[in-house]
Amino acid sequence: MNRFYSIVIALAIVGVSLSFVTFGPATENGLRIGEKVTNKKCVPNAEKYAFVNFWAAYDAESREENVRFSEVIKRFEACSNNKGESIKSVSVSMDTYESIFEEIVKKDGLSFSDIYREADGFDSQMAKDFKLGNQFGNFLIDAQGQLVAKNITPDEFERMLNK
């Protein structure tokens, strides 16, 4: 019996020790900075940038951020010194039900160039194009269709626009 406990303790020590060791680089899901975005709905045409935000009414945090991004875009477009510059802003709801989506868009007073609802959620082609997996996110795309930033906060987004 003593030997059994000794083996269990030794295995526990090895397990705890190995939990601090990493084996190879960590991989990140989703699009990488500099990668080309293939979704034609979201790539800017003549615009300088496109901002794409994925959210859902059932996720309070993503919905709140979506409203904050909308407010940043309103302020950016209202600034007189931004004449001639433009940003294509795309809000993508992952909500299944159209009635909920429409009500939330009205209630939140969203100000985006385009607002889409992906009824298939994370199984939609758009979610696959952006390699979302099962997580919400946002993407800033340049005029050449390359990803320049992702998963930024509304404050970071505003600082980037003001540069």
Side-chain angles (χ1 to χ4, degrees):
M1 196 62 128
N2 259 350
R3 185 164 188 210
F4 173 76
Y5 288 122
S6 297
I7 292 173
V8 169
I9 291 171
L11 288 174
I13 291 170
V14 169
V16 169
S17 298
L18 287 177
S19 69
F20 295 105
V21 177
T22 58
F23 298 97
T27 59
E28 183 181 317
N29 292 335
L31 293 174
R32 291 192 166 84
I33 303 299
E35 194 170 340
K36 196 89 163 155
V37 176
T38 60
N39 188 287
K40 299 298 180 210
K41 286 182 179 178
C42 300
V43 174
N45 297 338
E47 289 91 0
K48 190 172 182 177
Y49 291 101
F51 177 75
V52 184
N53 186 49
F54 291 89
W55 63 282
Y58 62 81
D59 183 80
E61 185 178 341
S62 72
R63 180 178 167 200
E64 179 187 338
E65 275 203 341
N66 194 52
V67 171
R68 291 182 57 213
F69 282 122
S70 176
E71 291 167 354
V72 169
I73 290 165
K74 281 179 192 173
R75 284 193 299 272
F76 178 75
E77 290 175 347
C79 287
S80 60
N81 63 348
N82 289 324
K83 290 187 181 189
E85 291 185 46
S86 64
I87 184 163
K88 178 178 183 176
S89 54
V90 183
S91 175
V92 183
S93 168
M94 305 305 267
D95 289 301
T96 305
Y97 300 105
E98 188 167 356
S99 59
I100 292 172
F101 163 72
E102 289 174 354
E103 185 64 32
I104 294 300
V105 169
K106 277 192 273 183
K107 185 177 181 179
D108 290 350
L110 300 177
S111 176
F112 287 90
S113 306
D114 298 308
I115 301 176
Y116 298 106
R117 178 182 66 93
E118 288 295 318
D120 293 332
F122 292 109
D123 293 326
S124 69
Q125 185 59 49
M126 189 177 279
K128 290 175 185 169
D129 290 346
F130 280 90
K131 302 176 185 177
L132 291 177
N134 287 329
Q135 296 185 355
F136 299 108
N138 60 65
F139 303 85
L140 187 61
I141 305 161
D142 70 10
Q144 288 74 40
Q146 290 191 326
L147 183 65
V148 293
K150 72 179 197 173
N151 298 328
I152 56 178
T153 67
D155 292 336
E156 291 170 329
F157 181 52
E158 188 162 28
R159 280 193 297 274
M160 292 172 102
L161 289 176
N162 289 330
K163 283 186 179 180

